[in-house]
Amino acid sequence: MSIPCQSFSSLLPAIISSRTPPAQFHFRIYNKKTRPTVFSTQLRHGFPLITKRRTRTHHCYCSNSTMPLKDPASSPPQDSLSYSRAYWVSTSIIAWNVDAVGGSCFLYSSRSAALSVTDNGIEGSDFSIKLERHDQRLPENVRDKFPHIQDYNAFKVPISLDPKSILKDQLAVAFFDSSGQCISVTGLQLPGVLDDIFSYLGPLGAIFLNEVVSLHLWAPTAQDVRAFIYNGPSGGESLEIVNLKESNGVWSVNGPRSWEGCYYVYEVSVYHPSTLKIEKCIANDPYARGLSGDGKRTFLVNLDSDALKPQKWDDLADKKPNIVDFSDISIYELHVRDFSANDPTVDPEARGGYLAFSSQDSAGVLHLKKLSDAGLTHIHLLPTFHFGDVDDEKEKWKSVDMEMLKSLPPDSPEQQEYITAIQNEDGYNWGYNPVLWGVPKGSYATNPNGSCRIIEFRKMVQALNFIGLRVVLDVVYNHLHGNGPVGDNSVLDKIVPGYYLRRNADGFIENSTCMNNTASEHFMVDRLIIDDLLNWAVNYKIDGFRFDLMGHMMKSTMTRAKSVLKNLSRENGGVDGPRIFIYGEGWDFGEVANNGRGVNASQFNLAGTGIGSFNDRIRDALLGGSPFGHPLQQGFLTGLSLQPNGLDHGTESNAARALDVSKDHIQIGMAANLKEFVLTNCDGQEVKGSEILTYGGDPVAYTLQPVETINYVSAHDNETLFDIISLKAPMEISIDERCRINHLATSIIALSQGVPFFHCGDEILRSKSLDRDSYNSGDWFNRLDFSYNSNNWGVGLPPKEKNEKSWPIIKPRLASPSFKPHKNHILSALENFQNLLRIRYSSILFRLRTANAIQERVRFHNTGGSQVPGVIVMTIEDGHEGVPGLTQLDPEYAYIVVVINACPTEISFTSPVFRGKLLQLHSVQMMSTDNLVKNSNYDPSAGCFRVPSRTTAVFVEPRNIQE
């Protein structure tokens, strides 16, 4: 996900300067990344003109054409150079949507950034050249790469011009009509020509050889690059300043091996389009593998050094828990700080950080062991790279007296006032504000300087692997936290300004992901992403990657990432590459929507790739509405039609219809959201999953393989599962019933085909006191309690910024003691969750490998117009006598029936299909302490199931009793 944007007022000082272009800002009403609503506002500022002109010699590049004379009666706006509306798309072509009937176009450059717009067009240039109008469309390869400008006019760059000679300059184009009037001027966007000329696959970053440390920086538009070498992480004079030499856009230098353990920064002299100046940018290395504690210097560290490896680190690939097929995966999403910040069983120095996972007897680790023993396979860690808004140096953090907060009423606004007063100066943030992708976050280490964060991160991965859990990293390649030539949070935009960040038609940075969208359609951005993934996979032995706002990346980047990772082996990198799973958020919005910047990695485009994407259809159908709808809108589990909460859901018949349609969406999700899965819908028609439509008119189903759906009902975004149930279910129901709904939701996810995904704490009724976006709500609202004494409900009204509109419905719920679960409720929820995992892993039939196997074996009953409302009946058939052509997969069970009763009352369901079946309640449920599920029964003579209210019952036909 991406964190919410900063307030508008806090951004202004950083963006307004004497040369700031007209700025386009997008503000997102933030609930993280599910098709966000975007609002726009524009600022316009005046721009002082640069009138200084200097002479510069270019051999054979200047045009022989005479510059047209200009009628001074009118001229382009004087701030025209602040825009970049033309695109240098390849070595030989510039694209511009100028009205180019007749007239002529000229390209200008200035090495000193002295261009200005005057009554005569552009002045201050060192060089100018006439461009030829190209009457044909842009070439196909250009249109494929830049579909958003496919109808622009094409202008040919004369073959006499070597683009390398001016790509370091300030550049502009001007168009003159046939009378010599300059009618338009603009700057240029350069990624196309940079890719055409300077695409590079050689070494980057710091390379450690026997006697040499070499530095390599891709910066083709830089005029000069120097490296400042320091002995320590902060303060002091530089040990030396070295000049890097350029070869084909790559700057490099060789230094002594004694540099290892030192720190460095680059000084890059480069034209920056945001200021229209040549800037001396001080930047970290984009390929940094270590940092200083303040994040201002790159640490020269050799990750292959034995001193940085925990004992037996190189053998970890052989010790990892086995995964036979991606269909066997189950994922548990967890924030590093949440895990242990409030755990008194963890050493105080390790709390909230990497080392807490190595505390084998802590409450949190013992909890993870319980889940692992039940079958859980993967821990998904929220961002752990170097992100902004949390200082790595803990002594700078501010905190609130927790004991004082505990004394306040459960519905008080005071808690959130104390928390938000320091929220940007405490130690908490989810981390969706990346600064450098390739370095572990220092705030989670006991010492942010030196190699400590590297060693402790590796110990965390090793510790989790040793208790049977593989590790997934949440990667955020879709945007960056900073831009421009100054500030610690800007790195890539200092090195090659205007290249790494995606820009709109005016040349300003796209912000649909919240801020500073990156452009994986550009060659070196794609390369940086792939290289970063390899860094984490090889150097940290990571087992999977979850991509934030994956739909804002190109499909080609994702498929290449999958291929490159798959090709890793224990012999090549010490990694079992084919076992690395990748998935992400395939939302399709913003400038990339409908393949607006190329074929993007959206849900529909990824079908057949084996890359997973989050299934928001099953989430919304189960809970009701969407994260952006009315908070009381009910769904299949929360009482829609069956137990109304007072919100107007239309007439009774409309609500009943909505319930039935939601059920169709859920059943398709339970069948891995397969496009080709055939289902009898609520109207009694046999339809494919792709023919069932969402309320917005899109197909519900979008996958071709089961592992392409990530089924979930909650994640770090939005309210927790317990909280959203507490909002949507009727106020008058008991806490026991709310807990039953929580159980029911996790059961549907756990027993569906595809990959199940759970938010940490769903299994212990986790609450954030109804906070819908706790990315910056501190430890107070994000607390986890692995002693199971509290679920964190009723710790005050959630922060005002994102929740104030809902306070009127939140306040009475928090104030009511009937909403707060007791320890026995939490323990019951945990046992239920463990049992669901045990059931899932008791049979391969819950984890079918192929779409064909699901189509052949999975059936839904209680469908069509005469169905029992609120009840799902799913069967999974295995090969046995009487079913020709169906192979046997499960040695223990021949037939499984899952009955899901979302009704507030007991139900019975009868079908002749089940008569004579030798079915019995699953042994895991028979042995549970849940007396309701143990009251589920089946009558073979009638083919009738009876299932208590809000219960999922699993019936199996063991082979050893089948005749």
Side-chain angles (χ1 to χ4, degrees), residues 705-919:
Q705 301 175 34
V707 297
E708 290 170 359
T709 187
I710 308 297
N711 287 329
Y712 76 117
V713 284
S714 71
H716 62 275
D717 287 328
N718 317 316
E719 296 88 350
T720 66
L721 177 58
F722 180 84
D723 282 353
I724 205 163
I725 290 168
S726 298
L727 280 173
K728 293 176 180 291
M731 281 196 68
E732 64 271 13
I733 70 172
S734 68
I735 184 61
D736 290 340
E737 292 174 285
R738 295 184 206 288
C739 293
R740 296 299 301 179
I741 298 172
N742 200 101
H743 301 343
L744 206 56
T746 53
S747 73
I748 291 172
I749 298 304
L751 302 178
S752 294
Q753 302 294 331
V755 177
F757 176 100
F758 307 99
H759 179 44
C760 171
D762 281 354
E763 76 285 5
I764 50 176
L765 308 178
R766 181 184 190 176
S767 172
K768 297 180 181 179
S769 210
L770 294 170
D771 190 353
R772 67 176 284 107
D773 190 5
S774 68
Y775 82 98
N776 202 19
S777 298
D779 295 326
W780 179 253
F781 288 99
N782 288 286
R783 284 186 305 171
L784 280 168
D785 181 4
F786 292 120
S787 73
Y788 314 131
N789 287 313
S790 169
N791 76 329
N792 207 44
W793 172 267
V795 296
L797 285 170
K800 180 177 181 179
E801 180 187 4
K802 301 296 173 62
N803 300 282
E804 187 178 18
K805 285 185 186 178
S806 297
W807 276 2
I809 61 175
I810 289 174
K811 190 175 177 68
R813 287 166 168 79
L814 293 180
S816 172
S818 67
F819 278 75
K820 187 173 180 64
H822 302 295
K823 185 168 186 175
N824 64 298
H825 293 114
I826 296 171
L827 291 173
S828 175
L830 175 57
E831 184 202 20
N832 176 272
F833 186 77
Q834 290 172 277
N835 286 343
L836 290 169
L837 289 174
R838 292 184 182 111
I839 291 170
R840 180 175 182 84
Y841 289 101
S842 71
S843 175
I844 195 174
L845 299 179
F846 288 113
R847 312 184 314 278
L848 295 171
R849 278 41 173 146
T850 66
N852 186 55
I854 293 171
Q855 183 66 67
E856 287 180 332
R857 297 165 189 270
V858 176
R859 296 285 182 273
F860 290 96
H861 310 267
N862 187 39
T863 57
S866 59
Q867 61 184 280
V868 179
V871 177
I872 295 173
V873 181
M874 177 182 73
T875 60
I876 315 173
E877 183 123 23
D878 199 18
H880 59 279
E881 188 177 350
V883 184
L886 203 61
T887 57
Q888 179 180 320
L889 300 177
D890 188 336
E892 188 169 354
Y893 301 130
Y895 197 71
I896 295 175
V897 183
V898 179
V899 183
I900 300 162
N901 176 19
C903 302
T905 57
E906 181 183 275
I907 62 93
S908 64
F909 175 74
T910 302
S911 172
V913 171
F914 301 112
R915 286 180 192 154
K917 290 285 186 185
L918 301 176
L919 294 166

Side-chain angles (χ1 to χ4, degrees), residues 511-522:
N511 293 300
S512 57
T513 65
C514 182
M515 64 182 88
N516 303 318
N517 297 4
T518 52
S520 73
E521 60 270 27
H522 301 160

